[in-house]
Amino acid sequence: MRFIAIIMAMGIVNQSNVTDYWSRDQVCETPFFPSIMNRDRFLNLISCLHLANNELYVSRGQPGYNPLFKLGTVYSTVLARYPLLFGPNQELSIDEGKVPWRGNLHFKVNHKNKPIKYGLQAYMLCDASTGYCLKFHLYTGKTFRQNILETGHGRTHDLCIHLLKGYFGKGHIMYCDNYYSSPRLFVDLWELGVGALGTVRSNRKGKPASIREKHLPNRGDTFSQHTGQLSITKYLDSKPVFLLSTTLTSEKMYTGKKNPVTQELISKPKMVIAYDKFMGGVDRADQMVSNSRSNIRTMKWWKKVFFHVLSLTVLNSYIAYKHNSIHPMYHLSFRKKLVSQLIESHPLDALVTPVSGRPKTQFLERLTARHFPSKIPNDGKSKSLQCVVCNPAVAQMLASQGLPKIRRPGHETAFKCRQCDVSLCIVPCYELYHTMQDYILAYKRLQAEE
């Protein structure tokens, strides 16, 4: 759990290099990370991290090849839980997400016009209002359609039907862009009990030629055609836009905004307003994940996907928590709290011993971990021991004044710190030991002030 907590914390605290989290430089020092785990152990865990048994791996081109084999059962198990833990709103959105990756991989996708130009593409179904991810399917090239039922109406048609399984007949409305939408898809979804709305390409099959050729003279003009439940609208904005819907019409309504020149209220078709409002569910999820994703560099693409899915899972858990809370905390506070709870679930006594020959980090554990006083147990010997703070401090004070040495210059105490296993006076030594790096100097200054 400490390993997972550190990865999550790296999404909160950004450093240019993973080793900088353990740096002692005054500018970029972060005491939290070395107090939880030393650097070499963390790097070893990253290096040895595996999600599947490599002995069972089937090479590409061989029968039984699975491009996602390296992700193991962790990937499929976590994704299967997403739709079970959250009841989405009526509006759902389908779009592509991206996992950044610049290495060599046969199903890597390059989109030079996208914010993330190189990486692994994922098709996502999200709640349009909150950004909660319900379905997450990585594109894997030619093998991507193995688990998707083919209907003969095209890849995007079959993909949308596959993503929406489990939400048929529940009154949901799907929002998508012109990459997915088509008259055939929208009619099939309507028959399955799912409404749909989205932009559509001008040359899409099944779209009437008359609406494509229709000239609109003024900005804001619309032209619509209907057939059964399906409605297609041409709307002139800065350029012509075609929208397809089985739920809304081209009836205009006020947006609540005014024209900055004429001060007249701006009106748009209901289809356009709904599309602008609910199409960004996947983009919202992608943006929030990118703000909390760990930037650990790795040569293994599946580790990058694992870190991405981990951040997506944290985001989903926050959205579910926020949905069920009256006064929810902020996203950043939620992630900090989650990291703290993961660390607290692991015994503090199990801290890793630093590697021999490297500077030790006990002073960081002493200053940052949780500490509780306890009675020194009665083992048949003395119930009190010398305090590790005031005894050496008083001895140094006596030596500096030229006074003779005393066998027990400080105080004896019946208390100790349970985590550090050192004897301490409750006041003031316990506080000084756990708040001051040089606690002996702090004790001497305190005595000088008195």
Side-chain angles (χ1 to χ4, degrees):
M1 286 301 177
R2 286 176 174 269
F3 175 71
I4 298 297
I6 288 177
I7 293 176
M8 291 182 181
M10 287 179 175
I12 301 173
V13 182
N14 292 320
Q15 297 278 19
S16 59
N17 191 290
V18 67
T19 56
D20 288 343
Y21 290 101
W22 284 266
S23 172
R24 291 181 178 273
D25 184 82
Q26 293 181 355
V27 176
C28 60
E29 183 179 10
T30 47
F32 169 79
F33 294 91
S35 71
I36 303 305
M37 184 181 296
N38 66 55
R39 185 199 65 184
D40 289 350
R41 177 168 175 78
F42 178 80
L43 294 178
N44 286 336
L45 289 175
I46 285 288
S47 177
C48 297
L49 176 65
H50 283 79
L51 305 177
N53 185 357
N54 286 337
E55 294 181 356
L56 304 177
Y57 178 73
V58 178
S59 301
R60 181 184 174 192
Q62 301 298 322
Y65 167 69
N66 178 11
L68 301 180
F69 173 84
K70 293 285 188 177
L71 292 172
T73 58
V74 175
Y75 173 77
S76 57
T77 302
V78 170
L79 297 186
R81 299 290 296 174
Y82 285 177
L84 303 179
L85 302 177
F86 185 79
N89 296 297
Q90 183 183 30
E91 297 81 12
L92 305 175
S93 61
I94 290 179
D95 207 349
E96 307 97 44
K98 218 53 169 309
V99 181
W101 174 256
R102 285 181 171 268
N104 294 325
L105 191 64
H106 69 277
F107 52 86
K108 182 183 72 172
V109 177
N110 301 337
H111 284 156
K112 294 186 178 181
N113 296 327
K114 296 284 186 178
I116 302 177
K117 296 176 174 54
Y118 306 97
L120 310 181
Q121 183 164 286
Y123 297 101
M124 299 169 62
L125 173 69
C126 292
D127 179 82
S129 301
T130 63
Y132 185 96
C133 180
L134 299 163
K135 301 284 184 69
F136 182 91
H137 289 272
L138 274 178
Y139 173 72
T140 56
K142 295 181 180 179
T143 60
F144 177 70
R145 302 185 65 178
Q146 289 180 351
N147 299 323
I148 299 178
L149 179 64
E150 296 188 17
T151 61
H153 298 303
R155 181 169 68 90
T156 55
H157 177 283
D158 300 342
L159 175 63
C160 290
I161 298 294
H162 180 72
L163 289 173
L164 287 167
K165 281 184 179 179
Y167 299 99
F168 297 149
K170 296 182 179 180
H172 290 290
I173 301 175
M174 179 204 72
Y175 291 81
C176 62
D177 59 21
N178 57 24
Y179 177 73
Y180 304 92
S181 59
S182 68
R184 177 76 264 174
L185 171 64
F186 281 29
V187 170
D188 289 347
L189 287 176
W190 179 257
E191 294 174 353
L192 293 171
V194 178
L197 191 154
T199 55
V200 61
R201 294 180 179 178
S202 59
N203 60 348
R204 183 69 75 182
K205 184 178 179 180
K207 179 181 175 182
S210 58
I211 196 169
R212 183 170 63 250
E213 298 169 355
K214 178 66 178 179
H215 173 68
L216 300 177
N218 301 316
R219 183 168 182 170
D221 290 350
T222 61
F223 177 75
S224 301
Q225 288 185 341
H226 309 272
T227 172
Q229 190 64 31
L230 189 64
S231 175
I232 185 170
T233 298
K234 184 176 184 179
Y235 171 68
L236 183 61
D237 195 17
S238 57
K239 63 180 181 179
V241 179
F242 298 91
L243 295 106
L244 201 62
S245 176
T246 57
T247 56
L248 296 175
T249 64
S250 60
E251 179 185 358
K252 288 192 174 183
M253 64 180 294
Y254 290 111
T255 62
K257 298 180 180 180
K258 291 184 179 181
N259 187 309
V261 178
T262 64
Q263 295 300 312
E264 295 180 353
L265 291 173
I266 299 175
S267 62
K268 291 183 179 180
K270 289 183 178 180
M271 299 168 67
V272 175
I273 295 175
Y275 180 83
D276 291 343
K277 183 178 181 180
F278 296 115
M279 183 54 214
V282 174
D283 293 336
R284 182 177 183 179
D286 247 12
Q287 181 185 24
M288 296 180 73
V289 167
S290 65
N291 292 334
S292 61
R293 183 174 47 225
S294 172
N295 293 322
I296 300 175
R297 296 182 180 180
T298 175
M299 298 294 291
K300 306 297 182 182
W301 66 267
W302 51 269
K303 290 184 182 180
K304 204 70 173 179
V305 174
F306 172 71
F307 298 147
H308 183 90
V309 171
L310 179 62
S311 298
L312 184 60
T313 303
V314 173
L315 173 62
N316 275 356
S317 62
Y318 171 70
I319 294 173
Y321 152 78
K322 186 178 180 180
H323 185 74
N324 294 288
S325 300
I326 300 176
H327 301 291
M329 66 181 75
Y330 290 113
H331 186 202
L332 179 60
S333 301
F334 177 86
R335 286 188 280 142
K336 290 179 180 178
K337 186 70 172 178
L338 180 59
V339 170
S340 299
Q341 290 181 349
L342 287 173
I343 294 173
E344 290 172 2
S345 66
H346 194 80
L348 288 171
D349 293 337
L351 291 169
V352 181
T353 304
V355 178
S356 176
R358 292 195 56 82
K360 297 186 178 180
T361 60
Q362 280 90 345
F363 77 95
L364 294 174
E365 298 163 9
R366 170 169 59 82
L367 298 176
T368 59
R370 293 165 62 92
H371 302 273
F372 302 95
S374 64
K375 279 274 193 178
I376 296 176
N378 184 6
D379 55 359
K381 300 179 181 179
S382 175
K383 294 183 180 180
S384 60
L385 297 173
Q386 294 186 45
C387 175
V388 299
V389 175
C390 58
N391 271 276
V394 173
Q396 291 181 17
M397 293 167 64
L398 294 175
S400 64
Q401 297 172 11
L403 299 175
K405 294 182 179 180
I406 303 177
R407 184 178 177 186
R408 295 183 178 180
H411 300 91
E412 291 189 354
T413 177
F415 294 91
K416 70 172 185 177
C417 175
R418 187 190 312 164
Q419 283 71 36
C420 302
D421 195 25
V422 293
S423 306
L424 293 165
C425 299
I426 294 298
V427 179
C429 301
Y430 196 92
E431 179 182 354
L432 294 177
Y433 184 81
H434 293 112
T435 57
M436 298 293 177
Q437 182 173 339
D438 193 343
Y439 50 85
I440 295 178
L441 178 61
Y443 183 88
K444 290 191 291 186
R445 288 176 175 174
L446 183 63
Q447 294 300 313
E449 292 175 359
E450 295 178 354

